[in-house]
Amino acid sequence: MNELPLKRVELGNDRALEFSDRSNRYFGDYHRVLIEVDALIESADGMIRLRYQRPLKRMGVCSADTVREAESLIEQFLATTAPYMGQPGFAQKLLDSLERPGQRLWKRLS
């Protein structure tokens, strides 16, 4: 990715989350706030980038509220997910789950 992330959160243990803003205006003053989430995980093969397949999204946001809504979506995601992802052994469990058929929550990008 050539763009800098909107926000980067270090989870420790060679793990980080990056949030990228892919929002757009779709009608008049209304926007779709769309945040993509990437997990960076250090493995024996080097740094692996995974994309969360359920982007954080809010529709019908007026221009004046887009930044606040993006921050709110990120904070909600972090409140529920970051403690779980920061646990010991999580990275290996996540990498192992990528090999299982039907796993559609994370996609390996690199």
Side-chain angles (χ1 to χ4, degrees):
M1 248 183 203
N2 294 336
E3 281 184 43
L4 293 174
L6 177 65
K7 183 172 186 168
R8 180 182 172 101
V9 177
E10 299 291 333
L11 299 174
N13 300 323
D14 300 322
R15 279 174 250 157
L17 291 172
E18 288 185 351
F19 299 88
S20 300
D21 190 356
R22 301 288 183 253
S23 301
N24 66 305
R25 183 178 64 86
Y26 67 89
F27 180 76
D29 189 40
Y30 295 102
H31 297 258
R32 173 182 69 154
V33 175
L34 183 76
I35 307 295
E36 288 183 341
V37 182
D38 288 355
L40 301 162
I41 298 174
E42 185 68 39
S43 75
D45 299 331
M47 188 63 71
I48 297 173
R49 180 179 291 271
L50 305 171
R51 169 84 31 94
Y52 189 63
Q53 295 299 292
R54 295 181 187 157
L56 313 178
K57 183 173 22 175
R58 180 121 340 117
M59 299 293 290
V61 179
C62 68
S63 295
D65 294 333
T66 56
V67 171
R68 183 178 54 81
E69 288 297 331
E71 290 172 354
S72 175
L73 287 169
I74 292 169
E75 292 306 317
Q76 289 171 8
F77 182 85
L78 289 172
T80 58
T81 307
Y84 179 69
M85 292 184 77
Q87 293 179 354
F90 174 81
Q92 190 57 49
K93 288 179 188 176
L94 180 57
L95 294 173
D96 291 344
S97 76
L98 294 175
E99 304 303 320
R100 283 186 284 219
Q103 192 291 117
R104 295 186 180 137
L105 194 54
W106 292 93
K107 178 181 177 183
R108 187 175 179 153
L109 298 179
S110 63

